[in-house]
Amino acid sequence: MLESLLVPTAIVALAEIGDKTQLLALILAARFRKPWPIIAGIIAATLANHAAAGAVGAWFSTFFSAATLHWILAASFAATALWTLIPDKMDDDEASTARRFGPFLTTLIAFFIAEIGDKTQVATVMLAAQYPHLIMVIIGTTLGMLIANVPVVLAGNFAAEKLPLTLIRRLASAAFFVLAAVAVYSAMQVSGWIG
């Protein structure tokens, strides 16, 4: 059960560094200068988004044999590892939401929209398909999101400018490749190819 919490936490925390939602957190922190409503918005948006993604992952896992699911997970983790190496950019539409609402609602809406189809949402789907404790996966991915974004909100631009983003993206990519390798090994075991 602890693995269902810790692995998603670590994977998402690494994957989020340099992600567009982290850039969004910087913009919101600079614009509103009210960290606690922004952090509350991040928590609410992430829980809602990752709960939906986790439910899809858990549901998806019921359609395939264990071996097929492991092969799909291996391919998905490998693709996400490659995707993680590509730096994200912030869309102007996501930043313009701030003009209409206060810090909490702006963050809630902007983070929820920014996470749709994002690599951490895809990772949440895959992790929920891989691990049996859905609630722990959702809590883990949400904690990972907070680990990456709360310091940015609290420290403003200083934190993002000082982090070695290329190195962090490479570490996150390596973590996804390790998960891909574990999934390949599990697929080979379940298929009876290795003992």
Side-chain angles (χ1 to χ4, degrees):
M1 186 159 104
L2 195 56
E3 186 178 358
S4 296
L5 173 71
L6 297 178
V7 170
T9 300
I11 292 295
V12 170
L14 281 172
E16 267 303 297
I17 296 178
D19 190 75
K20 67 181 174 184
T21 49
Q22 195 173 51
L23 298 173
L24 179 60
L26 281 171
I27 290 168
L28 293 169
R31 179 171 295 234
F32 289 111
R33 303 198 189 280
K34 294 180 180 179
W36 300 114
I38 294 169
I39 292 168
I42 292 170
I43 293 168
T46 304
L47 281 172
N49 191 291
H50 289 196
V56 167
W59 173 73
F60 182 76
S61 69
T62 63
F63 290 104
F64 299 99
S65 69
T68 302
L69 183 61
H70 285 297
W71 286 115
I72 291 169
L73 288 171
S76 298
F77 281 130
T80 304
L82 294 172
W83 186 7
T84 300
L85 293 172
I86 301 168
D88 274 335
K89 291 189 173 107
M90 178 66 186
D91 293 330
D92 290 334
D93 291 341
E94 291 164 357
S96 69
T97 307
R99 293 185 192 116
R100 288 181 244 151
F101 306 105
F104 173 77
L105 198 53
T106 297
T107 304
L108 176 69
I109 293 167
F111 261 76
F112 188 85
I113 291 170
E115 273 297 291
I116 294 173
D118 193 58
K119 64 183 164 272
T120 51
Q121 186 187 43
V122 173
T124 302
V125 171
M126 294 182 300
L127 291 163
Q130 182 174 3
Y131 291 102
H133 304 286
L134 176 61
I135 298 298
M136 298 309 282
V137 169
I138 294 166
I139 291 170
T141 59
T142 302
L143 284 174
M145 181 74 83
L146 294 174
I147 288 168
N149 287 303
V150 168
V152 171
V153 172
L154 294 176
N157 291 332
F158 174 78
E161 291 171 2
K162 301 297 180 191
L163 293 173
L165 297 180
T166 301
L167 173 64
I168 292 167
R169 273 194 297 277
R170 288 177 182 161
L171 289 173
S173 179
F176 279 115
F177 273 124
V178 168
L179 286 173
V182 169
V184 166
Y185 179 79
S186 297
M188 293 172 74
Q189 250 185 339
V190 171
S191 299
W193 297 353
I194 57 174

